[in-house]
Amino acid sequence: MQLNRLVNFHKTLGDKTRIQIIALLRDGPLHGQAIAGKLGLTPPTISHHLTKLRDIAIVYQRREKNTIYFHLDEKKLESMAGAITRLGGEKEMDPFKVEDTEKYKVIQNFFDQAGRLKTIPAQRKKKLIILEHLASKLKVGTTYSEKEINEFIKQYHEDFATIRREFVMCQFMHRDKGLYQLNPEEMWLV
């Protein structure tokens, strides 16, 4: 079982400044200068801590004209924070959990007779079902190169870059130095 991502998450949060940044971002998006001013720290220090939080995918950024605003992804934060208690146990109820019959219908609607993905769903819940379906075809504990993941995805859809990115963003896989490995199912966002 690949637990490096979970360990890295908890190590990253083991910093007072990062916890303060998370607390500030819970109230809404802020730009780096505002965060620095509220915490009485320099912008480069804030930038360093924001990079660490982006690396574990609980903070993301959006540009509005010339200003970059940082947002907290509360669902990912809650999912990752609770992942340790779910290891080896039942997944807790969440808004994206669906029954097997619904999963079956989504898979039937989005895959053709040859087993190829017709289109990547826009709706998050359906996209997670499709990603889970594809990820379940990969081997647990196997490390894949980027080329191997691309070839695997091309069997199902030509836009391998988008699906590969979604695998990582939705925590199905962990990427480190161009190598990919499935995360434990407890970390998947489904």
Side-chain angles (χ1 to χ4, degrees):
M1 199 181 273
Q2 204 266 8
L3 298 176
N4 290 343
R5 185 175 173 94
L6 188 57
V7 169
N8 188 44
F9 169 81
H10 287 284
K11 281 183 181 179
T12 301
L13 289 186
D15 182 277
K16 178 180 138 188
T17 302
R18 294 179 198 143
I19 292 172
Q20 290 174 318
I21 291 170
I22 290 168
L24 287 174
L25 293 178
R26 283 191 71 121
D27 294 331
L30 292 169
H31 56 80
Q33 290 285 358
I35 297 170
K38 288 178 184 274
L39 296 180
L41 298 170
T42 64
T45 299
I46 296 302
S47 179
H48 165 76
H49 289 293
L50 285 168
T51 298
K52 295 288 188 183
L53 293 171
R54 278 194 345 252
D55 287 347
I56 60 169
I58 62 168
V59 169
Y60 62 95
Q61 64 187 40
R62 293 259 163 83
R63 180 178 292 275
E64 289 182 24
K65 297 185 182 178
N66 291 332
T67 306
I68 296 174
Y69 287 90
F70 296 92
H71 300 254
L72 180 64
D73 188 333
E74 290 188 43
K75 286 189 194 278
K76 279 190 183 174
L77 174 61
E78 289 171 9
S79 174
M80 289 296 290
I84 198 165
T85 61
R86 294 188 306 270
L87 287 174
E90 291 295 315
K91 291 184 185 179
E92 62 186 36
M93 295 300 290
D94 67 40
F96 296 116
K97 188 169 173 103
V98 293
E99 297 298 321
D100 288 339
T101 54
E102 186 177 351
K103 285 182 182 183
Y104 177 77
K105 287 178 186 176
V106 170
I107 291 166
Q108 291 298 107
N109 288 335
F110 281 90
F111 284 89
D112 64 19
Q113 295 285 345
R116 290 193 46 86
L117 183 60
K118 298 176 199 172
T119 183
I120 300 170
Q123 186 182 10
R124 182 171 172 78
K125 189 160 110 174
K126 291 178 182 178
K127 186 188 303 180
L128 290 173
I129 292 169
I130 296 304
L131 292 171
E132 177 189 32
H133 179 70
L134 293 174
S136 69
K137 297 177 183 302
L138 292 165
K139 293 179 183 164
V140 176
T142 301
T143 301
Y144 298 94
S145 69
E146 189 165 301
K147 182 180 178 183
E148 290 171 321
I149 286 296
N150 291 346
E151 291 301 317
F152 166 78
I153 296 169
K154 283 181 194 177
Q155 298 174 68
Y156 302 99
H157 197 271
E158 66 276 355
D159 191 356
F160 59 87
T162 297
I163 294 175
R164 186 184 68 227
R165 184 175 57 249
E166 291 289 342
F167 274 157
V168 174
M169 289 174 53
C170 295
Q171 301 177 26
F172 288 94
M173 299 194 88
H174 171 72
R175 176 181 54 216
D176 186 31
K177 298 176 184 159
L179 298 175
Y180 295 77
Q181 192 173 27
L182 280 176
N183 282 323
E185 286 188 31
E186 293 82 7
M187 294 174 65
W188 295 6
L189 293 183
V190 290

